Amino acid sequence: MNSHFYFGPIVAAAGTALVLGAVAVVPRRPWRWLLWLCLVAVVGMILWLTLWLSFGDAGGTGLNLTPFQEIRRLLDSPGGRQYLNVFGNVAMFVPVGALLAWLLPRLRVVSATVVSVGLSVGIELTQLGLGRVGDIDDVILNAAGALLGASLAVTWRAVVAGRAADYDEARASSSVGRAADF
């Protein structure tokens, strides 16, 4: 089956998870359960995409432990499909990194990236066990996506918290001013 067939629904699902996550972390509306639900859905989608579909493998098996070898090979090859593999591996883990950063209480970016690397290593080892290719480059690209997602989530949370604080201060100062008028 053509991998482009799956790309649209996957992007839509990942985007929906990010939007729902962003809504869930708005102050005064801490819907933690929604973050967990989105995380389970995104991880399920990643597992389905990486373990049950096999459009990325050329039918071989093996283990590539040389960092950036496959990335260089893909980017040097003609055509546009290689970009789908490289950027797809990054994009696939952006929602995971963001959702984990919103859920984890400390060291959000580091923790989200480390947990995502663990998930990615588990996927690669499982693929190897299924007679497919396990690739360190996929782990590197997945980690980059998780790091990007976690960084965006922490930035989003800071911006939203800053706006909420500005709103609360404006409201508090306006009510203080009115109380002084009486």
mmCIF file of all heavy atoms in Angstrom, residues 136-156:
data_model
loop_
_atom_site.group_PDB
_atom_site.id
_atom_site.type_symbol
_atom_site.label_atom_id
_atom_site.label_comp_id
_atom_site.label_asym_id
_atom_site.label_seq_id
_atom_site.Cartn_x
_atom_site.Cartn_y
_atom_site.Cartn_z
ATOM 1 N N ILE A 136 19.427 3.051 14.187
ATOM 2 C CA ILE A 136 19.747 4.095 15.159
ATOM 3 C C ILE A 136 19.315 5.473 14.643
ATOM 4 O O ILE A 136 18.963 6.352 15.424
ATOM 5 C CB ILE A 136 21.260 4.083 15.531
ATOM 6 C CG1 ILE A 136 21.557 5.012 16.710
ATOM 7 C CG2 ILE A 136 22.112 4.470 14.340
ATOM 8 C CD1 ILE A 136 20.958 4.575 17.998
ATOM 9 N N ASP A 137 19.314 5.649 13.321
ATOM 10 C CA ASP A 137 18.903 6.925 12.759
ATOM 11 C C ASP A 137 17.434 7.220 13.049
ATOM 12 O O ASP A 137 17.053 8.380 13.260
ATOM 13 C CB ASP A 137 19.156 6.970 11.253
ATOM 14 C CG ASP A 137 20.637 7.062 10.926
ATOM 15 O OD1 ASP A 137 21.432 7.317 11.850
ATOM 16 O OD2 ASP A 137 21.006 6.883 9.752
ATOM 17 N N ASP A 138 16.606 6.192 13.066
ATOM 18 C CA ASP A 138 15.199 6.395 13.429
ATOM 19 C C ASP A 138 15.091 6.884 14.873
ATOM 20 O O ASP A 138 14.283 7.767 15.181
ATOM 21 C CB ASP A 138 14.397 5.108 13.255
ATOM 22 C CG ASP A 138 14.152 4.762 11.794
ATOM 23 O OD1 ASP A 138 14.417 5.614 10.922
ATOM 24 O OD2 ASP A 138 13.700 3.633 11.526
ATOM 25 N N VAL A 139 15.909 6.333 15.748
ATOM 26 C CA VAL A 139 15.914 6.763 17.151
ATOM 27 C C VAL A 139 16.358 8.228 17.246
ATOM 28 O O VAL A 139 15.764 9.021 17.976
ATOM 29 C CB VAL A 139 16.808 5.856 18.018
ATOM 30 C CG1 VAL A 139 16.913 6.372 19.442
ATOM 31 C CG2 VAL A 139 16.287 4.423 18.002
ATOM 32 N N ILE A 140 17.392 8.590 16.493
ATOM 33 C CA ILE A 140 17.887 9.976 16.500
ATOM 34 C C ILE A 140 16.808 10.928 15.994
ATOM 35 O O ILE A 140 16.554 11.984 16.608
ATOM 36 C CB ILE A 140 19.167 10.093 15.641
ATOM 37 C CG1 ILE A 140 20.322 9.336 16.300
ATOM 38 C CG2 ILE A 140 19.537 11.556 15.405
ATOM 39 C CD1 ILE A 140 21.541 9.142 15.404
ATOM 40 N N LEU A 141 16.154 10.573 14.896
ATOM 41 C CA LEU A 141 15.108 11.429 14.334
ATOM 42 C C LEU A 141 13.893 11.508 15.267
ATOM 43 O O LEU A 141 13.305 12.586 15.443
ATOM 44 C CB LEU A 141 14.696 10.923 12.953
ATOM 45 C CG LEU A 141 15.778 11.035 11.875
ATOM 46 C CD1 LEU A 141 15.371 10.252 10.624
ATOM 47 C CD2 LEU A 141 16.067 12.485 11.535
ATOM 48 N N ASN A 142 13.516 10.384 15.865
ATOM 49 C CA ASN A 142 12.407 10.386 16.825
ATOM 50 C C ASN A 142 12.732 11.251 18.031
ATOM 51 O O ASN A 142 11.873 12.003 18.520
ATOM 52 C CB ASN A 142 12.074 8.970 17.278
ATOM 53 C CG ASN A 142 11.546 8.075 16.169
ATOM 54 O OD1 ASN A 142 11.582 6.852 16.300
ATOM 55 N ND2 ASN A 142 11.073 8.634 15.073
ATOM 56 N N ALA A 143 13.971 11.169 18.521
ATOM 57 C CA ALA A 143 14.400 11.992 19.658
ATOM 58 C C ALA A 143 14.357 13.470 19.297
ATOM 59 O O ALA A 143 13.943 14.306 20.114
ATOM 60 C CB ALA A 143 15.799 11.595 20.109
ATOM 61 N N ALA A 144 14.763 13.800 18.076
ATOM 62 C CA ALA A 144 14.706 15.199 17.628
ATOM 63 C C ALA A 144 13.256 15.690 17.612
ATOM 64 O O ALA A 144 12.965 16.827 18.031
ATOM 65 C CB ALA A 144 15.339 15.341 16.252
ATOM 66 N N GLY A 145 12.346 14.848 17.149
ATOM 67 C CA GLY A 145 10.933 15.216 17.139
ATOM 68 C C GLY A 145 10.382 15.410 18.541
ATOM 69 O O GLY A 145 9.646 16.363 18.812
ATOM 70 N N ALA A 146 10.740 14.519 19.451
ATOM 71 C CA ALA A 146 10.280 14.632 20.837
ATOM 72 C C ALA A 146 10.851 15.890 21.496
ATOM 73 O O ALA A 146 10.142 16.594 22.221
ATOM 74 C CB ALA A 146 10.674 13.395 21.631
ATOM 75 N N LEU A 147 12.121 16.166 21.244
ATOM 76 C CA LEU A 147 12.748 17.371 21.782
ATOM 77 C C LEU A 147 12.060 18.628 21.257
ATOM 78 O O LEU A 147 11.763 19.554 22.022
ATOM 79 C CB LEU A 147 14.237 17.385 21.421
ATOM 80 C CG LEU A 147 15.039 18.600 21.874
ATOM 81 C CD1 LEU A 147 15.102 18.664 23.393
ATOM 82 C CD2 LEU A 147 16.445 18.533 21.295
ATOM 83 N N LEU A 148 11.769 18.650 19.964
ATOM 84 C CA LEU A 148 11.053 19.779 19.374
ATOM 85 C C LEU A 148 9.662 19.923 19.984
ATOM 86 O O LEU A 148 9.253 21.023 20.377
ATOM 87 C CB LEU A 148 10.957 19.589 17.851
ATOM 88 C CG LEU A 148 10.139 20.634 17.090
ATOM 89 C CD1 LEU A 148 10.763 22.019 17.232
ATOM 90 C CD2 LEU A 148 10.029 20.246 15.623
ATOM 91 N N GLY A 149 8.935 18.811 20.076
ATOM 92 C CA GLY A 149 7.587 18.861 20.648
ATOM 93 C C GLY A 149 7.583 19.304 22.096
ATOM 94 O O GLY A 149 6.759 20.119 22.510
ATOM 95 N N ALA A 150 8.520 18.794 22.882
ATOM 96 C CA ALA A 150 8.593 19.173 24.298
ATOM 97 C C ALA A 150 8.954 20.643 24.442
ATOM 98 O O ALA A 150 8.386 21.352 25.284
ATOM 99 C CB ALA A 150 9.617 18.298 25.018
ATOM 100 N N SER A 151 9.863 21.121 23.618
ATOM 101 C CA SER A 151 10.252 22.535 23.670
ATOM 102 C C SER A 151 9.076 23.431 23.304
ATOM 103 O O SER A 151 8.840 24.461 23.951
ATOM 104 C CB SER A 151 11.422 22.803 22.723
ATOM 105 O OG SER A 151 12.543 22.049 23.095
ATOM 106 N N LEU A 152 8.332 23.040 22.273
ATOM 107 C CA LEU A 152 7.150 23.814 21.887
ATOM 108 C C LEU A 152 6.091 23.804 22.992
ATOM 109 O O LEU A 152 5.444 24.822 23.259
ATOM 110 C CB LEU A 152 6.566 23.268 20.585
ATOM 111 C CG LEU A 152 7.398 23.487 19.322
ATOM 112 C CD1 LEU A 152 6.801 22.708 18.150
ATOM 113 C CD2 LEU A 152 7.503 24.966 18.997
ATOM 114 N N ALA A 153 5.919 22.668 23.641
ATOM 115 C CA ALA A 153 4.922 22.555 24.711
ATOM 116 C C ALA A 153 5.284 23.421 25.909
ATOM 117 O O ALA A 153 4.407 24.084 26.487
ATOM 118 C CB ALA A 153 4.786 21.099 25.143
ATOM 119 N N VAL A 154 6.551 23.424 26.285
ATOM 120 C CA VAL A 154 6.986 24.246 27.412
ATOM 121 C C VAL A 154 6.823 25.724 27.068
ATOM 122 O O VAL A 154 6.373 26.523 27.897
ATOM 123 C CB VAL A 154 8.444 23.897 27.804
ATOM 124 C CG1 VAL A 154 9.037 24.927 28.745
ATOM 125 C CG2 VAL A 154 8.492 22.513 28.434
ATOM 126 N N THR A 155 7.155 26.087 25.841
ATOM 127 C CA THR A 155 6.969 27.477 25.399
ATOM 128 C C THR A 155 5.493 27.850 25.407
ATOM 129 O O THR A 155 5.121 28.928 25.882
ATOM 130 C CB THR A 155 7.563 27.663 23.986
ATOM 131 O OG1 THR A 155 8.939 27.310 24.018
ATOM 132 C CG2 THR A 155 7.406 29.086 23.509
ATOM 133 N N TRP A 156 4.648 26.950 24.899
ATOM 134 C CA TRP A 156 3.201 27.195 24.882
ATOM 135 C C TRP A 156 2.671 27.407 26.296
ATOM 136 O O TRP A 156 1.923 28.337 26.554
ATOM 137 C CB TRP A 156 2.475 26.036 24.220
ATOM 138 C CG TRP A 156 0.972 26.090 24.371
ATOM 139 C CD1 TRP A 156 0.218 25.405 25.257
ATOM 140 C CD2 TRP A 156 0.067 26.919 23.640
ATOM 141 N NE1 TRP A 156 -1.106 25.726 25.131
ATOM 142 C CE2 TRP A 156 -1.228 26.670 24.140
ATOM 143 C CE3 TRP A 156 0.219 27.844 22.622
ATOM 144 C CZ2 TRP A 156 -2.355 27.303 23.639
ATOM 145 C CZ3 TRP A 156 -0.914 28.474 22.124
ATOM 146 C CH2 TRP A 156 -2.177 28.198 22.630
#
